Amino acid sequence: MNPIQYVNKYAFRSAPGAYGLCLMLYLASGAQTFVSLKFTEYNINTAYGLLTGEIRLEEALKGILFYAVLTLFFMFLSCMQTLAENKLLLKLSYRYEKELNGALASAAWEKYESHGDALKIQDCRTKSLDVMKRITSGSMRLMGFLPLLFVYGYFLLRINPAILAVYLILLFGFQGIGNRLKYKTRHYWAEIKPYTQKQSYFFKMCGDK
């Protein structure tokens, strides 16, 4: 099982209800974007229809009211999404810290005397939870990105298939560049982390003196 699968399984077990609700709301964000783009398209077509006399004002107002109600509904869902994600991360943090503190309390004291083990314990206490929360949020955003890809692809395809092709090439190209930069950043940090930890330790010792 890779780390992403493990973290998402751990998050689901920490808060099944919040995880499922958050996932559904992220998937629903594609519908929100679709309604927003269709609302913009409708407003432009309605303005042109009013100028040319093809659409009556009453019909235009009914359509605008319909899209406005849908927009308010999706704004409510967006607030629910934020609350569900916060609840999920809080329960994930509580479970992880509880299990970590229990494991550290039962560890032999010799573990804390070893410099290598002490560094691993420090990493677990300061980095692991933050990484797990980022993976969980990132997985949700990735699931929400998939329907957005189809929504934008639909509108771009209506304009010109060539524009859709250029959009996909740029999207995945910049995604690859971003992943390479993240990898290099993590690699550089892994090289200097032991020195920064030692520096922080010595500065703390000097301050305590």
Side-chain angles (χ1 to χ4, degrees), residues 12 15-28 77 79-85 87-88 140:
F12 176 77
Y19 186 94
L21 179 61
C22 193
L23 181 60
M24 288 190 295
L25 291 174
Y26 264 102
L27 292 174
L77 290 185
C79 294
M80 291 294 297
Q81 173 186 309
T82 302
L83 293 174
E85 186 173 359
K87 183 177 181 180
L88 171 62
M140 293 294 174

Side-chain angles (χ1 to χ4, degrees), residues 83-187:
L83 293 174
E85 186 173 359
N86 289 338
K87 183 177 181 180
L88 171 62
L89 296 179
L90 283 173
K91 290 196 172 184
L92 170 66
S93 301
Y94 174 78
R95 181 188 176 192
Y96 179 81
E97 291 180 352
K98 182 180 179 181
E99 292 180 354
L100 177 62
N101 290 333
L104 293 177
S106 61
W109 66 268
E110 290 87 356
K111 291 285 186 181
Y112 296 93
E113 297 296 325
S114 171
H115 178 68
D117 291 337
L119 287 178
K120 292 179 181 179
I121 292 173
Q122 178 68 11
D123 284 342
C124 286
R125 293 189 64 88
T126 59
K127 305 295 182 184
S128 299
L129 179 58
D130 185 53
V131 171
M132 292 180 69
K133 290 165 69 174
R134 288 205 305 266
I135 289 176
T136 302
S137 296
S139 299
M140 293 294 174
R141 290 185 176 87
L142 178 61
M143 294 303 297
F145 171 75
L146 296 178
L148 288 178
L149 188 62
F150 287 102
V151 170
Y152 287 120
Y154 166 75
F155 282 97
L156 291 174
L157 189 62
R158 290 174 58 189
I159 299 173
N160 195 316
I163 296 178
L164 176 60
V166 172
Y167 169 74
L168 292 176
I169 291 173
L170 292 176
L171 175 66
F172 291 108
F174 282 115
Q175 184 68 29
I177 294 173
N179 289 336
R180 289 182 61 185
L181 291 175
K182 289 181 181 178
Y183 173 78
K184 289 183 177 180
T185 302
R186 286 196 299 265
H187 177 70

Side-chain angles (χ1 to χ4, degrees), residues 5-45:
Q5 290 177 330
Y6 173 80
V7 170
N8 278 277
K9 188 175 181 179
Y10 189 91
F12 176 77
R13 289 181 175 178
S14 301
Y19 186 94
L21 179 61
C22 193
L23 181 60
M24 288 190 295
L25 291 174
Y26 264 102
L27 292 174
S29 63
Q32 179 182 2
T33 303
F34 179 82
V35 169
S36 177
L37 293 174
K38 288 295 291 184
F39 192 15
T40 302
E41 181 183 26
Y42 176 81
N43 287 336
I44 295 173
N45 292 336

